Structures are given as structure tokens and as C-alpha cells.
Amino acid sequence: MAGLRFYKFSIFLVLFASLLVATSCHGLSRNALFIFGGSLNDVGNNNYMETAIKANFLPYGETFFKNATGRASDGRLVPDFIAGFARLPLIPPYLSPDNNDFTNGLNFASAGAGALTETNVGM
């Protein structure tokens, strides 16, 4: 029963993990996507952290990106589809050293992130 309740809570968090925020910059209306969450939304932040939970090897990313991306998927994630619907480019990971343009939003999600005691047993 607790597992089912956790599952429903997880689905609830995934639905609200991505926020589409309308901002104004020099009089122009812009959309920005800020993503928070766990492995369902991580686009590669764990590649830049000291953690054992990484997805920077094949088959992760091979369907859409043709190489390993750090995403816990072989292709696009839900935030990628939301960004496409909002006419935004793919949202980059926050920790990426190549990332210096934050006007379209950021992805703060990290695989293995958990706020519950059950998610970090032994830590």
C-alpha cells in the first residue's frame, strides 16, 4: 500500500516538476522552462557530479541523440516534449560548463534525487 501511495505521489510530482513561466525581456514576451525532479527529468546534470548514478554510456540516448547523453532514457524526456510544445530548444542541464544562456530556462533535475528517507537508505 505504501508503494502505491509513493507511486501516486511520484506521478503528482512529475506532473508539476516542470514549470512553464512567461517572462518579459526588453518588452518582448518570452517563455522559459525550469525543470526540477529526479531521473525522469534529468538531462545530464549527473555527468557533472560525483555520483554513482550516471547514464553517460550507451544505450542511453542512442535513439534520438545517437550517443550517450546522461539522460535516463534512450531518447527524449517529457520536458523535451514540453519545450517543443512551447517552441523552446532542448533545455540544457544546469551544471553543464558549456551552458551560459539561461533565457530559455534550466534543468535542475538529478537522477537519484530523493527527499524521502526510503530513497537514501545507507547514506
Side-chain angles (χ1 to χ4, degrees):
M1 186 64 181
L4 181 60
R5 190 169 29 178
F6 177 71
Y7 176 75
K8 288 181 181 179
F9 182 70
S10 300
I11 296 297
F12 175 77
L13 284 179
V14 168
L15 290 176
F16 290 95
S18 301
L19 302 173
L20 189 61
V21 180
T23 60
S24 176
C25 180
H26 299 292
L28 300 173
S29 179
R30 295 203 41 110
N31 290 330
L33 185 64
F34 295 92
I35 303 155
F36 304 91
S39 43
L40 295 176
N41 295 326
D42 184 7
V43 294
N45 277 313
N46 280 12
N47 289 347
Y48 308 103
M49 295 195 310
E50 297 240 358
T51 180
I53 302 172
K54 294 189 187 270
N56 57 356
F57 52 90
L58 291 178
Y60 297 113
E62 77 177 339
T63 302
F64 182 72
F65 299 98
K66 307 298 184 217
N67 60 3
T69 59
R71 297 162 181 255
S73 166
D74 69 343
R76 292 187 187 188
L77 300 171
V78 172
D80 298 330
F81 290 105
I82 294 171
F85 179 74
R87 294 185 180 97
L88 294 170
L90 294 176
I91 306 300
Y94 168 68
L95 295 175
S96 173
D98 303 332
N99 184 21
N100 57 7
D101 181 19
F102 308 134
T103 57
N104 294 316
L106 284 173
N107 188 318
F108 296 96
S110 174
L116 301 175
T117 307
E118 293 83 15
T119 59
N120 63 358
V121 175
M123 298 293 281

